[in-house]
């Protein structure tokens, strides 16, 4: 499944068995995004719900609310995982970073493991809130 425009997921379950390619804007405020891998090359605004698909991020992945992950998150070179002050992204099985991870004061990020690769960077002003 490919999104070249705008998708707003507010409830229910969106299952993409072969994966979900986002080249537009995906905004999730509720519900579940499931199946395969979410490959983001544009903008994801995750503000609520569950993302059970693995995530491969090469652009902007913004977390502004409480989001539960249940798979891996790969933040590729050129990608930014940004956790806002009200953001809480937890439950990830692993997080690998070759891009940028920013964690605002009050924001939370939780993963069972963390791997820093390449020239990636973590804004550690609030790293105490990152649970890995």
């Amino acid at each position: 499944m490919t999104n070249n425009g705008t998708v707003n997921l507010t409830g229910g379950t969106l299952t993409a068995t072969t994966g979900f390619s986002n080249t537009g804007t995906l905004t999730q405020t509720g519900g579940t995004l499931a199946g395969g891998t979410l490959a983001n090359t544009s903008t994801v605004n995750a503000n609520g719900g569950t993302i059970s698909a693995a995530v491969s991020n090469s652009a902007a992945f913004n977390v502004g609310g409480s989001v539960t992950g249940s798979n891996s998150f790969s933040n590729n070179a050129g990608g930014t995982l940004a956790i806002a002050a009200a953001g809480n992204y937890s439950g990830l099985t692993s997080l690998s970073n070759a891009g940028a991870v920013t964690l605002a004061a009050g924001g939370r990020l939780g993963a069972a493991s963390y791997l820093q690769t390449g020239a990636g960077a973590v804004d550690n002003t609030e790293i105490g809130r990152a649970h890995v």
Side-chain angles (χ1 to χ4, degrees):
M1 178 181 299
T2 300
N3 171 39
N4 294 317
T6 301
V7 171
N8 293 306
L9 180 58
T10 60
T13 300
L14 175 60
T15 302
T17 56
T18 60
F20 189 92
S21 175
N22 182 55
T23 60
T25 300
L26 169 63
T27 300
Q28 182 174 354
T29 57
T32 300
L33 180 64
T37 297
L38 166 57
N40 179 47
T41 57
S42 188
T43 303
V44 171
N45 298 309
N47 299 314
T50 300
I51 300 174
S52 63
V55 177
S56 176
N57 181 50
S58 298
F61 195 102
N62 307 306
V63 179
S66 184
V67 178
T68 301
S70 61
N71 213 316
S72 62
F73 191 104
S74 296
N75 195 44
N76 306 317
T80 298
L81 171 58
I83 312 296
N88 182 354
Y89 194 11
S90 62
L92 294 170
T93 59
S94 64
L95 171 61
S96 63
N97 180 45
V101 175
T102 61
L103 188 60
R108 294 192 176 269
L109 175 61
S113 67
Y114 178 84
L115 175 63
Q116 182 68 43
T117 62
V122 176
D123 174 352
N124 64 357
T125 56
E126 284 295 316
I127 200 66
R129 302 226 184 263
H131 302 281
V132 293

